[in-house]
Amino acid sequence: MSTSGTPRSGGQRPAGGSAAKGAAPRGPQQRTSSQGARQGSPRSQGPRPTGNGPARPQRPAQRPTQQGLVRPAPKAKVRKARLLVSKVDPWSVLKMAFLLSVALGIVTVVGAVVLWTVMDLTGIFDQVNDLLAQVLGSEGGSFTVQQLISLGQVASFATIIAVVNVVLLTALSMLAAVLYNISSTLVGGIGVTLTDD
């Protein structure tokens, strides 16, 4: 006799059905509680240490600057430039040489007058006159150095020398500039090194 035809009572449920209902998906409350438990776990909080060693405290990104310390300014490099004087303007050389020669002529005239005055004040001319009187004797008469070399004669002679020097120095400077320009085309000129102090 088979018992398959007997009806099952409503209160009895198959074991598989109860197991299936027990494994039913969880509700929203159970999900939120499980998520809260995960979030509240101490493992999820804080940065995870890297490596096998113990966790190290994080250092600040920038160290606080020390106030009151001033860094010295870096020393600038000395710049050098090598240049060649390949040409000289003859007209500028002429003007400069004329000006310097005129200044030298003025110094010559003033120096000659001052020198004669100092020799006269110190008595050098008197000593020379006494020496000439002893050497020449009575034949020399009343000859003095002041008659031969007077202040006017010294000034005029110095002026003539100054004028000649102005002309000669100006002409020679002009000629030297022209010769330098000609020779610089062959050898390249004079080298000059310039530096920054």
Side-chain angles (χ1 to χ4, degrees):
M1 291 190 303
S2 68
T3 57
S4 60
T6 59
R8 296 178 181 177
S9 60
Q12 294 180 355
R13 294 181 180 178
S18 61
K21 286 185 178 181
R26 298 177 182 176
Q29 294 180 354
Q30 293 179 355
R31 290 181 180 177
T32 55
S33 63
S34 63
Q35 290 177 359
R38 291 180 180 177
Q39 292 177 358
S41 62
R43 189 174 181 181
S44 61
Q45 296 179 355
R48 296 181 180 178
T50 58
N52 298 328
R56 297 179 180 177
Q58 292 184 352
R59 296 181 180 179
Q62 296 179 354
R63 295 182 179 178
T65 58
Q66 297 179 357
Q67 298 180 356
L69 298 178
V70 179
R71 292 183 178 179
K75 187 177 180 180
K77 295 182 179 179
V78 178
R79 295 182 298 177
K80 294 183 179 181
R82 181 173 176 80
L83 303 176
L84 291 176
V85 182
S86 60
K87 186 178 180 181
V88 178
D89 188 12
W91 176 247
S92 62
V93 173
L94 178 66
K95 292 187 292 185
M96 185 62 67
F98 178 76
L99 181 62
L100 293 178
S101 60
V102 168
L104 182 61
I106 294 173
V107 170
T108 302
V109 174
V110 173
V113 173
V114 171
L115 180 62
W116 190 93
T117 305
V118 171
M119 292 177 66
D120 188 18
L121 293 176
T122 55
I124 294 177
F125 288 146
D126 296 335
Q127 294 178 4
V128 173
N129 291 331
D130 294 339
L131 180 62
L132 290 177
Q134 293 177 3
V135 171
L136 297 177
S138 59
E139 297 178 359
S142 61
F143 177 76
T144 59
V145 179
Q146 287 86 347
Q147 294 177 358
L148 181 62
I149 307 174
S150 63
L151 181 60
Q153 291 176 351
V154 169
S156 60
F157 185 71
T159 304
I160 293 172
I161 292 177
V163 172
V164 172
N165 284 336
V166 168
V167 175
L168 288 178
L169 290 177
T170 304
L172 290 176
S173 300
M174 182 75 174
L175 181 61
V178 173
L179 292 177
Y180 178 81
N181 292 335
I182 295 173
S183 62
S184 65
T185 57
L186 301 175
V187 298
I190 298 175
V192 179
T193 301
L194 305 178
T195 59
D196 287 340
D197 291 337

